[in-house]
Each structure stands twice: as C-alpha cells, then as structure tokens.
Amino acid sequence: MKKVYLAALLCFCLSAAHAGETNPWAALNAEAKRHLVNLINIDTSLPEPDELSAARYLYKEFNKHQIDWDIFIPSKGRANLMARLKGSDPEQKPLLLISHLDTAPTAEGWSYPPFKATVEKGNIYGLGSTDAKNYTAAYLALFTWLKDQNITPKRDIIFLATSGEESGSETGLLWLGAAHWNKIKPGFALNEGGGIIKNKDGVDLIFAEASTKMYMDIKITAYGTGVHSSMPVNDNAVYLLSQALAKIAAYNPPAKLTPTARTFFKTIAPLQDEDGQTTIDFLLSGGPQTQSSAAEIMALDPFFRSQLKDTLNPTVLSASKDSGSASGEASAVINVRLLPGTDPDDFFEHVKEIFKDEENISLEILERPQTPFPAPMDGTDPLFASISKTAAKILPGAITVPGMSPASGDNEFLRKMGVITYGLGPDMDPLGENTAHTPDEFISEKDFFNQLQFISGIVFDFAYGEDLLPLTPQDVPSINDTAKN
C-alpha cells in the first residue's frame, strides 16, 4: 500500500504564510506562549501533582479579565477549575474546552529541566508541553481573549482544567461527573487526541478522534527457584518470564472491523494506489477469508493494526533488586488496548489459554475497562461540521474523518455522559517525533500556534457563527517580535 503517515492523538501541520505585514494572531500567540511557559514551570507531575498551584495560576488570569470561576478540590493538592462565558441562546447546548493539569511522571534522561520551560530553536521544552499544558494554555489565551472582545457567543463556552487524567481521572472527570456535573453539563466538547494522516503525494486526512480503545492492564508472573546468583538454575524466574513474553509477542488476536474503522478505511481508500484500494476493498466487501487476509496485510502498519486488532504491549518489568540473588518471582505488566465491542473478560480468558499447561505462570487483571463502552461519534453532528469547515479553511483540500484513537482518556467518560466529544491537537508523529511522556518533551512554536488557530477557528464557527480573526497559516514570530508582545 502507498505509505501513509499518521500523526495520531494530535492534529494540524499548517504551512507558514504571511498574512500581510501584521500578523493578526501575534498578540494571542504571545499570550498562549506565556501561559505555556508559566504552566510548565509548575510541577504537576505524578505521583503527587501540585494541581492546586496550577489552578491558582489560571484563576489569577481569570481575575485579570473579570471572569468568574469555580474550583473543585477533591483532596489536598488536587484541583479542578472551571469558568464559563455565557451565551445568548439557552437552547444551544454549551461547548466545553477541556484539558488536564497533571502530567506523567518525569522520565529519566532529560537534558533540559523538565519543570523550567526552555525556548530554543523554535521549540518549547518542558514536561507537559504536548500533554497537556499546551491545551490548557491555548484554551486560557483564547478564553480570556474572547471575554475581552465583548461579543456574546450564541452558546455557553466552558473552560475546564481537570485533575488526575494521567492516573484514571478519579480526582478529575470521574469525580466531577459524580459530584458536580450539574454545574458543568456541556452538550459538546473539544479535548486532546486526533491527528492528521499526512499523504506526501496527495490529499491530507484530518483525523478527528471520535472513539478510543479500551484500556486494560494484565500482570503476568513467572515463579521459579530463588537462589544466590552464584548458583544458576534452569527455572530462573526471569528466564521463565522471558519465555512467557515471547508467547505474548506471538499471540495474534483476530481482526475486527468496527463501524468507526469501516468509515475510516472507506474514506482513505481513494487516497491509495491501486494495490491499496484493492486491499481495502477486500477488507470492506470481501468474504470472511478474504477480509481476514486483507486485515493481516494491513496490520503490518502499526497504526492500521491499532484500528483492526486488540493489542498487547509489555511495559513494567519486575524481578530481583539485588544483583547477588535471583528472585523466585519475575513479573511484567502487559498494557492492553481493546477495540470497542471486545469483552474484556473473554479476552483475558483467551490470553490465559496460552498458558493453560504452565503451572509456574499466573495472570491477573490489574485494571479492567469500564463497560458498557460509549458509542463512537459518527461525524453527523454540528460540532464535527465546524471541525470540517475550519479544516477546509486552514488546510485546503484535506478530508476530515471521525477516527478511533489507539489511546484512551477522558473522552470516553464524556461520551458516557452523553457529551458529543472530539479530540484534536498539534502536529507530531507518534512513531517519530511525538515526545509526550518521554525525556525532553517539546512542542514547536509553529505547531503550538497552529493548534491555537485551529481550536479558535472551531470555536469561532461553532459558538459565534463567524471568524473573529482571519484563519490563515502563520509564521512563528521572531524573538524580537515575541519580546515586543
């Protein structure tokens, strides 16, 4: 098949162009950049994120613009912050702009300080720069700018910065949904996720995250003989675990075509060469054997595999912490991402079947998906129409399609609450340049400003019915320009 490049969980790559001598976005860009730098400088990393300090930063900015806000504190140091711009038409359901304040733990190997933003060579380095303080900063800059325009939107616009997304949202959206949802109650939401599938030889595909896979953790443990390291044994637990992981690697779950994946592959088919179109046609319209064969061919691409199969990936390994001894146990956490429609318990039983004759191997579920899983967005709603309309303005010729993210997060909780939710984001390739959760996490200024413009364009169209600023690709301002702002 023709090579197609994914920028999943994330969104727009816009070519730079001059919008006259004066950039109408310069002031908004500078404000968003200021917020991003300041938010990075607040340590909200797990396991003890100081979300309250980040929330204080946000509400002090709201105070400057005379914006009322509410803070929801589930426990010491944890915080959720909400603000609202009231609309003129109570019949139109509110639009929620949601992001999370916490970040993943600091990975080893940083060459830049993770909690002090570094701006260098057009990039902004720091923990959370792409997940998800860039969203918070962009929403904050846009929200305060909209308030200062004194133009009433047609529908309410809600700003919500949440707690605990990186650790299951038990102090964030899950808690808010149970205890404070009557104070929020959006009808539509924009959050992180999504991306652009970049076709170097033709039409770009805008991937608006409309569904996610289900998150599941399985722990596999091997039991051997614990001895002094000078006395090697054949049933060393680490050897046994390695053999078990090899069987996990060889396990090939069957392909399944979800409604979202069917729409996705049908949309990208015209962008493929003849072989690619034939393979997709077999996948969509062939008999069972033909469909299976086509799916296996397409699953050679990592992203296509994520769309067609349940996946397993070992993450955390544990054994002896003493180099002078061999532990009697060795274990690994297997992170599983299940397609919507997969029964988690049935899947677990299939995995256990691999080791049915091995008494020295045990498996347990550490985290099970909450079912029933919410239905995906189908792209027939007015928010998706605004996403498509805005995409056409700033990336002419691109095709916008609702898609399924291989990752998971707060979007599934919003959809369970009946909120029409799509995920968008900046342009990065998760198999190449995506740096979320990694050392030296960064976002380029250009990508950040393009992310801000794309989100703003959607809000303009969906909540105001007009572009309050011209939607054109932007240049990254020079250091001198930024300093002036």
Side-chain angles (χ1 to χ4, degrees):
M1 299 182 67
K2 181 185 294 184
K3 183 69 175 178
V4 180
Y5 299 90
L6 169 76
L9 312 180
L10 309 159
C11 199
F12 268 72
C13 177
L14 306 173
S15 60
H18 293 285
E21 294 183 0
T22 302
N23 181 1
W25 290 85
L28 193 53
N29 287 345
E31 190 73 349
K33 179 181 174 181
R34 179 176 71 87
H35 293 322
L36 179 55
V37 167
N38 290 338
L39 287 167
I40 289 172
N41 293 346
I42 302 171
D43 181 0
T44 58
S45 64
L46 294 175
E48 297 181 359
D50 184 12
E51 297 162 342
L52 186 55
S53 291
R56 287 195 184 103
Y57 175 83
L58 299 176
Y59 69 61
K60 287 178 180 178
E61 292 296 322
F62 287 143
N63 289 342
K64 293 176 185 178
H65 297 267
Q66 299 181 325
I67 297 173
D68 293 333
W69 48 269
D70 288 295
I71 191 166
F72 307 99
I73 300 177
S75 59
K76 183 178 179 181
R78 314 305 296 268
N80 303 268
L81 192 80
M82 184 190 77
R84 183 186 299 262
L85 297 178
K86 292 293 294 182
S88 60
D89 185 355
E91 297 299 316
Q92 295 200 33
K93 294 181 179 180
L95 171 65
L96 174 67
L97 304 178
I98 180 173
S99 62
H100 59 91
L101 294 173
D102 60 318
T103 72
T106 311
E108 295 182 0
W110 278 77
S111 57
Y112 294 94
F115 306 119
K116 182 174 176 55
T118 302
V119 182
E120 184 176 289
K121 297 180 180 179
N123 296 326
I124 303 172
Y125 294 87
L127 188 62
S129 55
T130 62
D131 186 15
K133 293 183 177 182
N134 54 321
Y135 294 84
T136 306
Y139 294 158
L140 178 60
L142 174 62
F143 203 83
T144 54
W145 184 86
L146 290 171
K147 174 63 165 58
D148 292 345
Q149 304 313 300
N150 292 320
I151 304 174
T152 303
K154 296 178 180 178
R155 65 177 79 239
D156 287 8
I157 304 172
I158 305 169
F159 173 102
L160 182 62
T162 66
S163 166
E165 190 273 348
E166 296 288 0
S167 55
S169 298
E170 292 184 357
T171 58
L173 202 55
L174 285 180
W175 178 73
L176 290 170
H180 299 286
W181 198 244
N182 63 320
K183 297 179 181 178
I184 307 171
K185 296 181 68 173
F188 304 87
L190 292 176
N191 196 7
E192 62 182 333
I196 179 172
I197 296 177
K198 195 77 173 178
N199 185 354
K200 290 185 176 181
D201 302 318
V203 177
D204 295 331
L205 191 74
I206 309 308
F207 187 89
E209 187 256 80
S211 178
T212 67
K213 298 185 82 170
M214 295 185 287
Y215 183 103
M216 183 177 187
D217 277 333
I218 297 174
K219 182 180 180 180
I220 180 169
T221 303
Y223 302 93
T225 300
V227 295
H228 191 279
S229 60
S230 65
M231 301 294 293
V233 292
N234 290 332
D235 65 339
N236 182 299
V238 174
Y239 289 156
L240 298 177
L241 178 64
S242 298
Q243 294 163 13
L245 291 177
K247 292 184 178 181
I248 293 287
Y251 177 53
N252 186 23
K256 290 175 284 188
L257 192 62
T258 66
T260 305
R262 176 176 288 278
T263 299
F264 170 72
F265 286 117
K266 182 178 180 180
T267 303
I268 71 168
L271 310 182
Q272 309 303 307
D273 59 21
E274 184 176 353
D275 289 342
Q277 291 183 25
T278 299
T279 305
I280 291 177
D281 184 59
F282 286 157
L283 175 72
L284 300 179
S285 306
Q289 185 58 49
T290 302
Q291 283 186 319
S292 178
S293 297
E296 292 303 323
I297 292 172
M298 297 183 69
L300 296 174
D301 177 279
F303 178 67
F304 289 168
R305 179 180 179 83
S306 75
Q307 301 296 293
L308 293 168
K309 289 176 177 282
D310 303 313
T311 60
L312 306 90
N313 226 352
T315 52
V316 181
L317 301 177
S318 302
S320 176
K321 296 182 180 180
D322 177 13
S323 62
S325 65
S327 174
E329 294 184 14
S331 64
V333 175
I334 308 297
N335 181 240
V336 178
R337 304 295 173 130
L338 300 176
L339 292 166
T342 296
D343 184 290
D345 296 321
D346 286 348
F347 181 86
F348 183 59
E349 290 302 316
H350 283 299
V351 176
K352 286 172 61 178
E353 187 71 14
I354 301 172
F355 304 101
K356 63 180 180 180
D357 298 324
E358 299 186 33
E359 296 181 355
N360 56 358
I361 299 294
S362 71
L363 294 97
E364 63 175 313
I365 297 176
L366 298 181
E367 184 169 343
R368 185 187 184 281
Q370 294 186 355
T371 53
F373 203 66
M377 306 294 96
D378 60 8
T380 61
D381 54 86
L383 180 56
F384 185 81
S386 287
I387 294 171
S388 299
K389 184 177 178 180
T390 304
K393 293 177 181 178
I394 58 180
L395 201 62
I399 298 173
T400 306
V401 61
M404 179 178 64
S405 170
S408 57
D410 279 346
N411 289 347
E412 63 191 71
F413 304 134
L414 287 166
R415 291 174 187 132
K416 281 184 179 179
M417 301 297 288
V419 181
I420 294 172
T421 305
Y422 289 96
L424 302 169
D427 174 37
M428 284 187 181
D429 181 353
L431 299 179
E433 294 182 353
N434 180 25
T435 61
H437 294 209
T438 67
D440 292 341
E441 180 181 353
F442 77 92
I443 187 170
S444 77
E445 292 182 280
K446 177 183 176 184
D447 289 341
F448 179 51
F449 297 151
N450 288 336
Q451 177 190 6
L452 171 64
Q453 183 179 161
F454 184 56
I455 291 169
S456 300
I458 297 167
V459 173
F460 294 164
D461 184 75
F462 192 66
Y464 293 87
E466 60 177 314
D467 293 338
L468 303 182
L469 286 173
L471 299 181
T472 55
Q474 304 172 59
D475 284 324
V476 177
S478 68
I479 295 176
N480 291 335
D481 289 340
T482 303
K484 292 175 183 178
N485 289 325

